[in-house]
Amino acid sequence: MSNLSAPHFHDEAAAYAFVEARVWPNGAVCPHCGGTDRNRLMGGKSTRIGTYKCYDCRKPFTVKVGTIFEASKVGMTVWLQAIYLMASSKKGISTHQLHRTLGVALRTAWFMSHRIREAMREGSLDVFGSGGGIVEADETFIGNDRTIKPKGQKKGRGYHHKHKVLALVDRSSRRARTMVVDSLGAADLAPILRENIAKEARLMTDEASYYTKVGREFASHDIVRHGQGEYGRGEIGTNTIEGFFSIFKRGMKGVYQHCGKKHLHRYAAEFEFRYNHRVANGFNDLARADQLLTGFKGKRLMYRDSLAA
C-alpha cells in the first residue's frame, strides 16, 4: 500500500486529527490564553473543520493558529501531502513539481515550500563533539552573490563572488549543522566553531588556513591535504561532510538551480533536516515527515518574506 493512501492525506477531518495529535498530545490548548480545561470542538454545518472554542477567553481557534499553517486557505490534506513530498525527496522537490503534483497555484506552491523549510530549521543549541567525539568542518561555495557581483557583471574565476556555506558533522551523532556565512576569514569562522564545537572534541578539516589557529583550542586538530591528493588517513578525513555536501549541491544545482542569498539558509536547513533524520538515524520517509510536524509551531512566515530577492 502506498504511503500516500493514508486517510490523513485525503480526508480533511482525519488530517486535522492527525496534526492535533502531534501538536496537542494532551488535548487542545487555546493559543490565545493557554487554557486547556474548557476547550470544546464546535459543531454545526457552517463551522469549519477543526474549530474549537475556548470558554475561558471565549475565542475560537484551530490547530493552525501559531504555526506555519496560519491564515492559509490551502486544505490540511494538501499541506500534509506537501510535507511528505518535501520530507521524502532526498534532493528536494521543485516549486513547479509541487505546483503540478498538488494542483495549487505556482506562487502557492512557492509559499508552502518556504513555510515547510522554515519548520525544518531546528535551531538546536547542543554542541558537537561532546565527550571527545570527532567533528568534521568544511565549507562549500554555490551560486552567485549579487551583493558582490551584481547582475550583468562577469562572474570571473574563484569563489569570492559565490555564496558560502559552512557545515559541521558530528560523527558520533551522525548529525550535520549548516550556516550561511559572509566571509571565510579566520576571525569570522573562529567564533562559530567555538560556539558549536565542544572543547574536548577532535576537529578534522582540510588544509584551509582559517582553521589553523582556532583548531588549537580543541583536543586535537587533524588535517587532510587535498592539494597533495590526500583524502584520508585511517579515521582522519573529511569524507563524511563531503558526502553531505554532495547531496546538498546536487539538489541545489539539479533541482532548485537558483537561490537568492536571503533564502539560502532555508534551503540549507532543508538538506540538514533530511540528513539528520535519514534512515541511518532511524527515520524512514513517514517518520521524517512526522518529525517535521513537531517543528512548525511559532514559525509562521509571511508571503512578502518568501518572495524572491
Side-chain angles (χ1 to χ4, degrees):
M1 181 181 293
S2 167
N3 287 342
L4 286 171
S5 64
H8 60 270
F9 288 127
H10 305 282
D11 180 75
E12 199 71 5
Y16 271 88
F18 183 83
V19 175
E20 288 170 7
R22 283 144 186 81
V23 180
W24 301 325
N26 300 313
V29 179
C30 176
H32 305 295
C33 69
T36 58
D37 298 328
R38 303 183 65 204
N39 298 320
R40 302 291 183 269
L41 183 64
M42 298 176 67
K45 294 182 179 180
S46 62
T47 304
R48 293 181 180 179
I49 294 174
T51 302
Y52 288 77
K53 184 172 182 178
C54 173
Y55 286 90
D56 288 327
C57 67
R58 314 295 294 183
K59 293 180 180 179
F61 64 91
T62 72
V63 73
K64 287 184 174 183
V65 178
T67 72
I68 64 170
F69 305 131
E70 186 167 355
S72 171
K73 296 180 180 178
V74 177
M76 188 65 80
T77 54
V78 179
W79 269 110
L80 293 181
Q81 290 175 40
I83 287 171
Y84 178 81
L85 290 171
M86 289 191 66
S88 61
S89 302
K90 186 172 184 177
K91 298 179 181 67
I93 181 169
S94 71
T95 298
H96 276 277
Q97 187 65 54
L98 281 177
H99 151 67
R100 294 193 299 270
T101 302
L102 301 178
V104 297
L106 182 60
R107 69 176 185 174
T108 300
W110 166 265
F111 191 23
M112 291 175 70
S113 65
H114 272 296
R115 283 193 178 193
I116 293 170
R117 289 186 190 100
E118 193 69 20
M120 288 175 167
R121 296 175 61 194
E122 298 181 291
S124 176
L125 299 177
D126 61 309
V127 294
F128 281 8
S130 298
I134 295 174
V135 178
E136 298 180 22
D138 201 5
E139 70 291 328
T140 194
F141 310 96
I142 192 165
N144 181 27
D145 189 342
R146 298 296 188 186
T147 64
I148 298 173
K149 289 278 188 178
K151 188 173 182 179
Q153 285 194 18
K154 186 177 180 181
K155 293 179 182 179
R157 296 182 179 180
Y159 58 81
H160 175 69
H161 62 283
K162 291 180 175 292
H163 300 306
K164 304 160 187 69
V165 179
L166 173 70
L168 309 172
V169 167
D170 187 329
R171 282 197 200 168
S172 298
S173 65
R174 296 187 286 194
R175 294 174 61 85
R177 184 171 297 165
T178 58
M179 291 137 283
V180 180
V181 295
D182 293 324
S183 167
L184 291 175
D188 299 304
L189 296 190
I192 298 175
L193 298 184
R194 293 189 190 108
E195 184 178 350
N196 289 278
I197 303 177
K199 292 294 184 182
E200 66 270 22
R202 298 170 58 194
L203 178 64
M204 297 190 180
T205 69
D206 57 23
E207 66 268 44
S209 60
Y210 30 80
Y211 297 116
T212 303
K213 186 175 180 180
V214 69
R216 299 173 189 147
E217 301 179 19
F218 303 103
S220 65
H221 177 202
D222 294 295
I223 297 172
V224 286
R225 304 189 182 280
H226 293 164
Q228 299 177 13
E230 181 184 51
Y231 292 92
R233 302 189 307 279
E235 65 178 5
I236 298 173
T238 58
N239 293 327
T240 308
I241 197 166
E242 286 166 8
F244 167 76
F245 276 143
S246 71
I247 298 172
F248 172 67
K249 297 192 81 168
R250 285 189 183 106
M252 292 302 296
K253 291 182 176 181
V255 177
Y256 297 124
Q257 300 181 32
H258 167 76
C259 173
K261 186 175 182 179
K262 66 180 291 186
H263 301 304
L264 184 56
H265 64 290
R266 293 194 196 100
Y267 285 94
E270 176 187 348
F271 287 89
E272 177 187 320
F273 176 85
R274 282 196 296 263
Y275 183 84
N276 291 343
H277 299 91
R278 64 196 187 278
V279 173
N281 284 348
F283 292 84
N284 59 20
D285 290 343
L286 284 172
R288 193 178 310 113
D290 207 45
Q291 179 67 26
L292 204 167
L293 284 171
T294 66
F296 63 62
K297 293 176 67 176
K299 292 183 178 178
R300 185 182 178 189
L301 181 68
M302 304 299 285
Y303 182 74
R304 61 176 176 268
D305 297 325
S306 71
L307 295 175

